[in-house]
Amino acid sequence: PAAIQAASFSRPTRPTLTPPLTLVTGATGFVGSAVARALLARGHRVRALVRRGSDRRNLTGLDLDLAEGDLSDEASLARAAAGCRYVMHVAADYRIWVPNPDAMLRANVEGTRAMMRAALAAGAERIVHCSSVAALGLTADGTPADEATPVSEAAIVGIYKKSKFRAEQAVLDMVRDQGLPAVIVNPAAPIGPRDIKPTPTGRMVADAAAGKVPAYIDTGLCVVHVDDVAEGHLLALECGRIGERYILGGDNLLLRDLLGLVARTAGRSPPHQAVR
């Protein structure tokens, strides 16, 4: 009978649950704003840590709370983390070259330690730390590496990569020694909308589209859409294992093929390989 069928498919009434409050550091940035958007779409309440005077165009129209603070100001991090069930630590100084390496180390390494301490003190149930594939090891034969590929700081070239390696090790140390409930994600080179700064990867794509890359070297990289990176953060939050790390990658491309694809899409001639 229709009445029985209707009863069979009726849903039980459940009490309304308050959506979790989640802190996102670096929320004004390229990856951070994508993570904030993904959290909102998943039903989270989002608190965004923003620096005073920062460019907030990536947050325009989003229903979230703003907490002014800085990775160098532990008191501001404590205020931002207060009452948050989850923390997504995405903020970082992402530049290939800097005139003052110490400033990058303070932001990426000491700033990460400070954020982890604040999250731990606030009682956060789960933390996702955004590291980088730059912190992973490389294989001797050039085949793609994975999360278990051995790595040592001595083999890492460049202050940005070293800073991300040290930050990741600091998080792992706190997981082991202090019970920090953190999961690590290692994004590859992100591309996509809202790269307003732009990031080094975004600058490379923009320059190739504008015909400003006359030549390239024989190398490759892994590129991934920024929205896939954001989804990877949420999957790490929901399903990741404490103390584990997860590569967030997309397509492994030769630099020749990537620059050629961008140039041809923009109606430009592809660049030539640099002569050594």
Side-chain angles (χ1 to χ4, degrees), residues 42-152:
R42 205 75 124 234
H44 289 244
R45 293 179 296 141
V46 174
R47 178 179 293 163
L49 180 69
V50 297
R51 288 179 290 114
R52 180 172 297 179
S54 60
D55 185 343
R56 302 176 187 179
R57 283 178 290 167
N58 277 342
L59 302 182
T60 301
L62 299 184
D63 183 16
L64 42 69
D65 297 327
L66 299 182
E68 285 198 348
D70 192 279
L71 294 178
S72 63
D73 180 358
E74 289 206 39
S76 72
L77 302 183
R79 290 192 297 269
C84 291
R85 184 173 178 181
Y86 307 123
V87 173
M88 307 288 246
H89 179 48
V90 188
D93 185 346
Y94 177 27
R95 291 178 288 171
I96 300 301
W97 179 86
V98 291
N100 182 5
D102 289 341
M104 176 173 281
L105 290 172
R106 283 195 299 271
N108 291 353
V109 184
E110 298 309 319
T112 292
R113 285 197 181 100
M115 189 65 254
M116 295 302 109
R117 287 193 295 265
L120 192 59
E125 293 181 19
R126 180 66 66 98
I127 302 157
V128 175
H129 168 61
C130 180
S131 183
S132 168
V133 292
L136 301 176
L138 300 175
T139 60
D141 61 1
T143 56
D146 60 23
E147 293 89 342
T149 303
V151 60
S152 67

Side-chain angles (χ1 to χ4, degrees), residues 174-192:
M174 293 182 70
V175 170
R176 182 190 64 237
D177 300 336
Q178 301 179 42
L180 184 76
V183 179
I184 296 169
V185 292
N186 300 80
I191 54 176

Side-chain angles (χ1 to χ4, degrees), residues 9 59 61 134 181 245 256:
F9 287 95
L59 302 182
R245 57 188 183 182
R256 172 196 67 199

Side-chain angles (χ1 to χ4, degrees), residues 30-31 90-98 103-104 107-108 130-134 159-161 163-164 187-191 195 197-204 221-222:
F30 179 39
V31 174
V90 188
D93 185 346
Y94 177 27
R95 291 178 288 171
I96 300 301
W97 179 86
V98 291
M104 176 173 281
N108 291 353
C130 180
S131 183
S132 168
V133 292
I159 193 61
Y160 171 72
K161 293 182 178 181
S163 74
K164 295 303 287 185
I191 54 176
D195 191 1
K197 199 169 185 177
T199 61
T201 309
R203 171 57 62 193
M204 177 185 66
L221 73 166
C222 180

Side-chain angles (χ1 to χ4, degrees), residues 215-217 272-276:
Y216 62 88
I217 59 175
H272 302 286
Q273 183 174 347
V275 178
R276 294 183 176 181

